[in-house]
Amino acid sequence: MKVDIEQVDRQIRNRELDEKTLLLILKNILTIQGQATALINPAAKAAARNVHEYVDCLIGLLPEEEELVIRTLYVEKRKWTTAEMSLHMSRNTLGRYRRKAIGMMLGIANGTLCEPA
């Protein structure tokens, strides 16, 4: 699936980030980081840098457990079984933290995150 990094950047700026796009960004975060330094097209290079920095900030805004799960699975690219062992979590717990983190990231990105009760 080919994705236009400039289109993704516009989606983020317009607060229209969807789950499918966020997951695509997370799965390709290292590639996007590389594009931020290696692309020749200045607009695409700036867009890649913006997307990478924005998603990195979103990850940093997560509570500690959720951030750790997202960084382990997507930034460090660990397999689920390895992540389970290194984080000392069951698959269900890992999945629960991942789902919560994705929801929170989308809420922050789109301005729809509610204050916790």
Side-chain angles (χ1 to χ4, degrees), residues 2-110:
K2 182 148 169 56
V3 176
D4 179 4
I5 194 71
E6 293 175 68
Q7 183 180 7
V8 172
D9 188 39
R10 277 191 300 279
Q11 226 181 17
I12 289 171
R13 290 178 189 277
N14 294 334
R15 294 182 170 261
E16 297 171 348
L17 187 62
D18 58 46
E19 185 174 354
K20 182 179 174 184
T21 304
L22 177 59
L23 288 172
L24 188 65
I25 293 167
L26 288 171
K27 289 176 183 175
N28 295 291
I29 195 72
L30 297 177
T31 302
I32 293 169
Q33 183 180 15
Q35 290 175 342
T37 58
L39 285 175
I40 295 172
N41 178 337
K45 187 174 189 174
R49 186 174 41 254
N50 290 340
V51 169
H52 180 265
E53 289 174 359
Y54 189 79
V55 171
D56 193 50
C57 285
L58 286 178
I59 294 170
L61 290 171
L62 294 171
E64 186 177 346
E65 292 292 326
E66 286 80 358
E67 178 182 0
L68 192 56
V69 167
I70 293 298
R71 287 201 187 278
T72 301
L73 291 173
Y74 295 105
V75 178
E76 297 173 12
K77 298 274 189 212
R78 292 195 190 173
K79 299 206 180 295
W80 277 72
T81 51
T82 308
E84 288 173 46
M85 290 188 300
S86 68
L87 297 176
H88 306 289
M89 291 182 183
S90 69
R91 185 169 294 256
N92 288 340
T93 303
L94 196 64
R96 190 171 50 250
Y97 278 125
R98 180 189 163 277
R99 276 190 306 279
K100 184 178 175 188
I102 297 297
M104 291 176 79
M105 291 172 74
L106 287 170
I108 293 167
N110 296 325

